[in-house]
Amino acid sequence: MGTRRSGVRRDYEAVELPIWQELLAGLEMLYLRVSPAYWGLGIPRGDGSAVVVIPGFLGTDLYLTEFRLWLRRIGYRSYYSGVGWNAECPNLLIRYRLEETIRKAYQATGRKVHLIGHSLGGVMARAAASQMPDRVASVITLGSPFRGVAIHPSVLRLAELVRGQILDRHGEGVLPDCYTGACTCDFIESIAGKLPRSVSQTAIFTKTDGIVDWRVCRTGKATIDFEVPGTHIGLVFNPMVYDVVARRLAR
């Protein structure tokens, strides 16, 4: 987590956001089941490419099961990220887990892999794509703060607790500024720069996000950024997100 703006690294920023609206994520889950996109109606079919789906902060691959199954139904080979519980140094998760998943998916299909990441998972996807452009075809981020970590104060407090646990667990095995915008690891360096031109980008965000400031979840380019209504948590169950993802993957 963390990034660089105008050449200056920034630490986490607490932003007052309508976090109560995240309770509406359950409605998005219900609406998904009756949407045409969920059943593959009116959207382009996949070509058998591999898609690795990466969970957000404090999440695991489990809550992305519905999303992965949908990708398979429309014609893609979806993969668990293999990162486990996303409460660890992102640099270590990418180096020792996510990169291995990408390599396996690439070898199994013989072509570049698509990465889809929710929240922090999308920031990790961008970093991995920057480090492995020869293996990654595209990156789709869902409410991912890749332009700076501006989040609700309660989430910021959780991030600080996770940072403390990381330092206790790894000691000198991680940099002193691990899990802050001041870190100088490969993860931060990767997201601070632009993605290689060979990697297609899509940034999906919602202005009613109650967890992350939507302004740091977009590139500023109309051809890349896609706004949808809904919640931060519900982005992985949002039928409008499914429609955008299907069309962007099929490009």
Side-chain angles (χ1 to χ4, degrees):
M1 298 171 70
T3 189
R4 180 189 303 175
R5 294 181 188 173
S6 303
V8 179
R9 295 188 187 280
R10 297 173 61 93
D11 208 339
Y12 302 149
E13 180 181 353
V15 181
E16 291 299 332
L17 298 166
I19 195 169
W20 61 269
Q21 291 188 167
E22 295 301 313
L23 295 173
L24 300 176
L27 295 178
E28 293 172 274
M29 296 174 67
L30 293 174
Y31 181 51
L32 175 64
R33 294 299 185 94
V34 297
S35 66
Y38 178 78
W39 299 104
L41 303 176
I43 59 174
R45 296 287 302 176
D47 60 359
S49 298
V51 183
V52 177
V53 189
I54 310 163
F57 176 58
L58 297 183
T60 69
D61 286 318
L62 184 61
Y63 82 96
L64 299 172
T65 298
E66 191 88 77
F67 198 85
R68 286 192 307 274
L69 291 176
W70 169 75
L71 286 167
R72 293 176 190 173
R73 285 203 305 276
I74 67 170
Y76 293 97
R77 297 181 62 174
S78 60
Y79 286 79
Y80 291 89
S81 70
V83 302
W85 188 33
N86 199 342
E88 178 60 277
C89 167
N91 197 47
L92 296 179
L93 290 180
I94 293 171
R95 182 183 302 171
Y96 297 112
R97 299 183 187 179
L98 183 56
E99 286 188 0
E100 180 62 23
T101 301
I102 294 171
R103 279 192 288 269
K104 288 180 179 178
Y106 178 83
Q107 292 170 358
T109 59
R111 44 185 157 170
K112 290 186 176 182
V113 179
H114 301 283
L115 305 180
I116 301 178
H118 180 217
S119 198
L120 174 57
V123 185
M124 293 169 60
R126 288 178 63 92
S130 179
Q131 296 171 31
M132 306 176 71
D134 58 323
R135 303 288 176 92
V136 177
S138 72
V139 172
I140 299 177
T141 57
L142 311 178
S144 301
F146 56 84
R147 292 185 60 195
V149 182
I151 54 182
H152 190 275
S154 62
V155 182
L156 177 59
R157 287 191 290 270
L158 287 173
E160 290 172 345
L161 287 174
V162 169
R163 165 176 156 74
Q165 293 174 352
I166 290 171
L167 294 176
D168 289 342
R169 187 162 54 245
H170 296 289
E172 295 183 358
V174 295
L175 295 172
D177 291 321
C178 182
Y179 229 69
T180 74
C183 191
T184 56
C185 68
D186 292 341
F187 170 69
I188 294 293
E189 291 295 333
S190 296
I191 62 172
K194 295 181 179 180
L195 281 178
R197 299 183 69 176
S198 62
V199 179
S200 175
Q201 302 180 57
T202 301
I204 301 175
F205 66 95
T206 172
K207 289 185 177 180
T208 50
D209 196 313
I211 304 293
V212 177
D213 186 345
W214 62 271
R215 296 171 184 81
V216 297
C217 300
R218 57 180 187 157
T219 66
K221 298 180 180 179
T223 57
I224 295 176
D225 300 335
F226 293 83
E227 179 188 351
V228 299
T231 66
H232 180 84
I233 294 172
L235 284 170
V236 295
F237 306 107
N238 187 319
M240 294 188 67
V241 169
Y242 282 46
D243 185 81
V244 173
V245 167
R247 297 184 188 285
R248 295 294 286 179
L249 287 175
R251 290 176 65 242

